[in-house]
Structures are given as structure tokens and as C-alpha cells.
Amino acid sequence: MDRREISRINVKFGKFLDPFLILGILLILTISILAVDSLSPRTFSKEQMKNVLGIQEESIVDFELIRGNHNYITSERLDEISKNYFKYTTVVVKPPEGRISKPIIKIRGIQKDTNVKIHLNYTNLNNSKISIFDKSQNTSYILQQNSQNYTQNINLTQNSDTLYLIIENSRPVFFNQYIEINFFLNP
Amino acid sequence: MSKLLRKLLQYIILPAALLVVSRVAGIYFAVNFFNLDFFLETQPEQIYSLQIYFTNQADALLASSISNLTMLITISSLAVYYLIKYRLSILAAYNPKVLVKLNNLNLMPWVNNKNNTFLKTFVWITFLWIVSIILIADVLSQDSSLWIAILSFLTAIISTWALIRTFEIEGEIIYPHSKVSNLY
């Protein structure tokens, strides 16, 4: 096929490609705008605006670290980073095969239902199943399973009392491991 | 196939890519320079599942403002660059004084380029408007500083005005008018 023939075909059928070019332009525009929007920095931890009328309707929920000796779950810390953001960290000492658990957080001061977003921020226990167990609701919330992370939303009621950390391993781990979990109240 | 659409598609790819790259670069810079604490979250229900979360509101605002500013500087500097090139090429074609000045400064090869078209400049200024709209939306949702949005809006307005004025001069060259000298 020589150049003149290609040019003739282009003149004859090229106009039918124009709608696809318009679609292509729109697609590039939309993709770039959505990508930029998706990449905008966000936070779960929005500070509450001060009530100008001086009426405080927000209930104050308090998270308290449950200390105590445990063979594997050690060096626990619970830091209140901001009013509605708590960071829990622990070192898991050479966890064995099977399941280990420990009560980690005592919840106080719930006057009405409160939503908590739980996010496993970091761990090097990549092959373990890590979950949070709410004793009052008898429900387990998986944060990591098969190396996949899940952010969980828990609804805390007035009966909510204690949260447990549960770690399940299919084989023993021979090194100390680190876990960091974020708790966001009313995200 | 329409030549205009083909050119438009060709010109739109670079600013679209730079828009996303500058956003990521701005966040990367903010995180590293200010040592901000962040984590990535996957939300399968969204079109883009990967999202960047910061652990507090102040860090998110800082990262957002810096990434918005990076995006604005990148797009606006290139838009202004192409606008200046386009304007100089038009003025050089009309005004011998400008032509001589450019020649003395050895800028003719830079100005005399086939790529100095209205369409290319128009595409960059359109992206400048897109940046402005994104920034205004961010300010309305309290996710960015107000002055960055005002700066982007002013840059977009001034660039658009300069583009229209230059295009009018180009129009006068093609269809001469008696009061052409008032245009620039």
C-alpha cells in the first residue's frame, strides 16, 4: 500500500475517528482530575470546631491502656496524639504458632454510640492474622489477613468495655515483631 | 482525521501528566521535609482505590497546601512560558522593532518555532483553570490555604486576558483593521 493510497483512506474514513479523539481528550482530562483529587491529603482525625454558643454536645470518650505482664505482647504504649486520635504500639516477642491474645484498651465515658475507625498502620508480622476483639459485642474485626490490610469501623455502645488484640500465626516467628494501630474516634 | 483534534490530543498529554506528577512530588516533598506521619489506605469502592491519609488535621493541611503550591507553580510557569513565546512570535511578525530586538538578543530561533501556537498556549491555560478549580474546591472543604487559591485564580485570569489580547493581535495581522496599533 503506497502513501497516496493511505492518504486517500485517511481522507475517506479519517472523519469517523474524530469522535474517538474527542473521547480520548475527555478521558485524559477526567483521569488527570480524578487522580489529583484522589491524591489529595486526607485525615481521619478532624479536630472538632469550637461551639461558639458554648454548648458542648460532644461526649468525651477515653481510651486507657490495660497494662499487665504477657509472655509475648510487651512494651505497650497508648499515645493520645489528638482529641480523637490514639496510637497503640507494642512489641510482640517471638510469637509462637497458634493464637495469642491480650486485653489492650479499656473504654470509658461513652454516653452515646460512637464510631471508631481502626487502622493497622504498621507491622512486620506480615503473615499473621491480626484482629481486634470487642468483648461486649463478641465480635472480632480483622485488621490483617493473608498480608492484606483492612480498615475497620466499630460502633462502640454504652456497653463497650474492653478491646482485645488477637494474633494468629500458622508457624512460629523467631524474631521480635512490632505492631502500630491507629484509633480514630468519630472520623 | 481532524488535524485540530489530533494536535489537541498531542498537546494535552504533557500537562495532564505533569498535573499528577507535581501533586505526588509536592506530597513527597512535604512528607520528607517536615517529617510528616502518613499512611496509605485502600478503598475499593472509589475509582482510585489508593489514598493518602495523615494522622492529624494540621499535617494534612500542610501537605495539601504544599502539593497544591507545587502543582500551581509547575502548571503556571509552563503556561506563562508558552504564553510569552506565543506573544513574542506574534509581535515579531507584526512589529519590526520587536523583531530587531529579538534578533539582537539572539532569541529568534527560540521564538520562531512552529510549536508557538495559540492551541498549545490555550491548552496550558485551560490546565491552569483546572488547577484553580481544584484549589478553590480544596479551600471550600478546608483542605488548603486560601492564599494559594487566590494566587492561582489571579494567575489564570491574567494569563487568559494576555492570551485573548495576543490572539486579537494575531487576528489583526490576518484581517487588518485601521486601529490595529491600539492593540498592544
Side-chain angles (χ1 to χ4, degrees), chain B:
Chain B
M1 208 186 308
S2 162
K3 200 177 169 184
L4 179 76
L5 286 174
R6 222 170 51 211
K7 282 277 174 199
L8 197 59
L9 189 63
Q10 191 186 322
Y11 290 152
I12 218 168
I13 291 169
L14 181 64
L18 270 180
L19 197 69
V20 180
V21 170
S22 58
R23 174 67 124 188
V24 175
I27 294 172
Y28 180 81
F29 172 76
V31 165
N32 281 289
F33 193 78
F34 296 101
N35 207 12
L36 305 180
D37 201 7
F38 79 104
F39 53 90
L40 298 173
E41 163 97 345
T42 45
Q43 292 189 343
E45 69 272 14
Q46 304 259 345
I47 298 172
Y48 285 91
S49 55
L50 192 71
Q51 296 191 322
I52 302 165
Y53 278 88
F54 286 82
T55 48
N56 62 63
Q57 177 78 357
D59 286 1
L61 183 69
L62 180 67
S64 180
S65 299
I66 290 173
S67 70
N68 283 344
L69 191 63
T70 314
M71 209 161 62
L72 174 65
I73 290 170
T74 310
I75 299 294
S76 64
S77 53
L78 281 160
V80 169
Y81 171 78
Y82 284 113
L83 183 64
I84 290 171
K85 267 181 96 172
Y86 171 58
R87 189 167 173 86
L88 286 177
S89 70
I90 297 299
L91 291 181
Y94 184 76
N95 193 334
K97 279 183 188 170
V98 179
L99 189 68
V100 170
K101 260 187 192 168
L102 287 172
N103 205 28
N104 289 343
L105 293 168
N106 206 15
L107 287 175
M108 278 317 286
W110 178 67
V111 171
N112 248 348
N113 192 323
K114 279 182 182 174
N115 283 331
N116 297 338
T117 58
F118 169 80
L119 190 63
K120 194 171 200 173
T121 318
F122 175 77
V123 165
W124 280 97
I125 289 175
T126 305
F127 272 87
L128 194 53
W129 275 108
I130 289 172
V131 169
S132 295
I133 292 165
I134 292 170
L135 298 199
I136 289 165
D138 271 1
V139 166
L140 290 177
S141 56
Q142 296 182 340
D143 288 336
S144 183
S145 304
L146 178 66
W147 67 269
I148 301 173
I150 293 172
L151 185 68
S152 75
F153 189 68
L154 287 177
T155 316
I157 282 189
I158 293 167
S159 306
T160 310
W161 170 75
L163 178 69
I164 290 168
R165 294 287 293 168
T166 314
F167 186 65
E168 275 179 347
I169 296 170
E170 193 180 14
E172 287 292 342
I173 294 168
I174 301 164
Y175 304 107
H177 187 267
S178 58
K179 288 182 181 173
V180 67
S181 56
N182 295 334
L183 282 168
Y184 65 96

